[in-house]
Amino acid sequence: MKIVMLCGKGCSSLFMYNGIKDDFKIDAVIQEVKPSIKKLVKRRIKNLGFIEVLNQSFFQILIPRILTLFSKRRISEIKIINNLKEKPVPQAILTEVASVNDKECLDLIIKIQPDIIIVNGTRIIGKRLLEATKTLFINTHVGITPEYRGVHGGYWALRNDDIKNCGVTIHKVDVGIDTGDIISQNKIEVTNRDNFVTYPFLQISKAIVMMKEVLITIENDQLRTYKKEGTSVSKLWYHPTLTGYLYHRIFKGIK
């Protein structure tokens, strides 16, 4: 199998790469630079309104930083237990692109002709790239789909008192947002020491194990996908607002 990783610059991409590289050869890693914050904010304002986005921004500026400061020991513990490593991708197989949807990225994928593209932490992949090759695109989503599409799926499940859907999904990538056929799903185990900033570490730890299992099924030509019968596609979930987070933390204990 020829495998390519298509990823962002976050630590979860390094965790995934280092977590699977010893069991499966990664032929190339295509890494996109972080998208423009200005453009992202403009798009959010258009979708959600200025007040909502301002409230989300206050949350993003304050809460993750404070939680990370007080969660260093727990994060370190999760990394050690699950052997999460942030060793850089070797330059020999790494290519940086401005966007996964740029022609440079498309040309590179066509040149490599991979069997599988593992997606992790990129912006939404456009139709042109998906339809330009018969390669199988598979994505790790830190949430259970179709109930929790978008971001922070673990947190939103807990906030909705929906512990059974606090977990991880590996799915095929299609032109929708986290709407592709499901390959594998699993719950995470949350302790009273966990919170908004530790959930993703638990999720990527689980996702690495799941991804290895998925790659084995593909290697053995036994891949099966499914849609959940009777489950409607959820709304998109965004970042919490500062006021919303504080209310549910104080009155409902959702960290």
Side-chain angles (χ1 to χ4, degrees):
M1 284 192 309
K2 188 177 285 187
I3 302 173
V4 165
M5 274 195 69
L6 193 57
C7 62
K9 284 198 168 186
C11 64
S12 71
S13 295
L14 291 179
F15 293 151
M16 179 60 72
Y17 169 76
N18 286 291
I20 65 176
K21 70 177 179 64
D22 292 334
D23 297 292
F24 299 91
K25 182 178 181 246
I26 310 297
D27 292 87
V29 176
I30 304 172
Q31 187 180 69
E32 71 169 2
V33 300
K34 289 185 178 180
S36 164
I37 297 297
K38 187 176 181 180
K39 288 182 180 179
L40 287 176
V41 170
K42 281 185 177 180
R43 192 178 305 127
R44 280 190 210 155
I45 290 173
K46 184 177 179 180
N47 292 332
L48 302 173
F50 177 77
I51 299 300
E52 181 80 2
V53 173
L54 182 64
N55 207 345
Q56 288 177 343
S57 298
F58 286 141
F59 168 84
Q60 288 177 272
I61 291 169
L62 294 172
I63 300 302
R65 293 179 183 180
I66 295 170
L67 290 177
T68 299
L69 183 64
F70 288 98
S71 302
K72 287 182 178 179
R73 182 174 294 181
R74 176 58 175 156
I75 291 171
S76 178
E77 179 184 272
I78 296 171
K79 286 182 178 180
I80 292 169
I81 291 172
N82 296 284
N83 198 27
L84 297 180
K85 297 178 180 178
E86 295 181 73
K87 186 178 178 181
V89 176
Q91 289 296 316
I93 64 169
L94 177 65
T95 301
E96 287 194 354
V97 295
S99 166
V100 293
N101 295 310
D102 283 355
K103 186 176 182 299
E104 179 187 1
C105 182
L106 174 60
D107 290 344
L108 186 55
I109 288 172
I110 291 173
K111 179 182 177 182
I112 297 171
Q113 294 187 326
D115 300 297
I116 302 164
I117 294 178
I118 297 172
V119 180
N120 193 93
T122 71
R123 70 192 76 195
I124 298 166
I125 298 175
K127 184 177 180 180
R128 184 178 71 155
L129 177 57
L130 293 175
E131 294 184 349
T133 173
K134 293 182 179 180
T135 300
L136 172 65
F137 288 74
I138 55 178
N139 179 55
T140 299
H141 174 65
V142 286
I144 296 294
T145 61
E147 293 86 348
Y148 294 96
R149 300 183 305 123
V151 294
H152 313 305
Y155 169 78
W156 287 116
L158 293 173
R159 188 158 141 175
N160 290 337
D161 195 23
D162 190 13
I163 185 66
K164 70 181 185 298
N165 283 317
C166 180
V168 185
T169 301
I170 294 179
H171 63 89
K172 292 176 68 175
V173 179
D174 62 14
V175 294
I177 301 175
D178 304 323
T179 55
D181 290 357
I182 299 164
I183 299 173
S184 178
Q185 291 187 324
N186 213 329
K187 286 174 55 179
I188 60 169
E189 299 299 324
V190 176
T191 74
N192 60 9
R193 297 174 59 208
D194 291 306
N195 57 52
F196 183 85
V197 297
T198 68
Y199 304 146
F201 288 93
L202 296 172
Q203 288 170 305
I204 192 64
S205 299
K206 184 74 72 174
I208 290 168
V209 176
M210 292 163 61
M211 184 62 74
K212 289 180 182 179
E213 293 170 350
V214 167
L215 292 174
I216 289 171
T217 64
I218 295 171
E219 200 169 41
N220 294 329
D221 197 25
Q222 295 177 339
L223 180 66
R224 300 290 182 270
T225 65
Y226 64 95
K227 294 277 191 184
K228 287 182 180 175
E229 296 295 330
T231 305
S232 60
V233 174
S234 77
K235 67 178 183 179
L236 276 177
W237 296 88
Y238 294 91
H239 299 289
T241 60
L242 177 62
T243 52
Y245 176 83
L246 291 176
Y247 173 85
H248 285 85
R249 170 100 191 212
I250 295 168
F251 295 104
K252 298 189 176 182
I254 308 300
K255 301 178 182 179

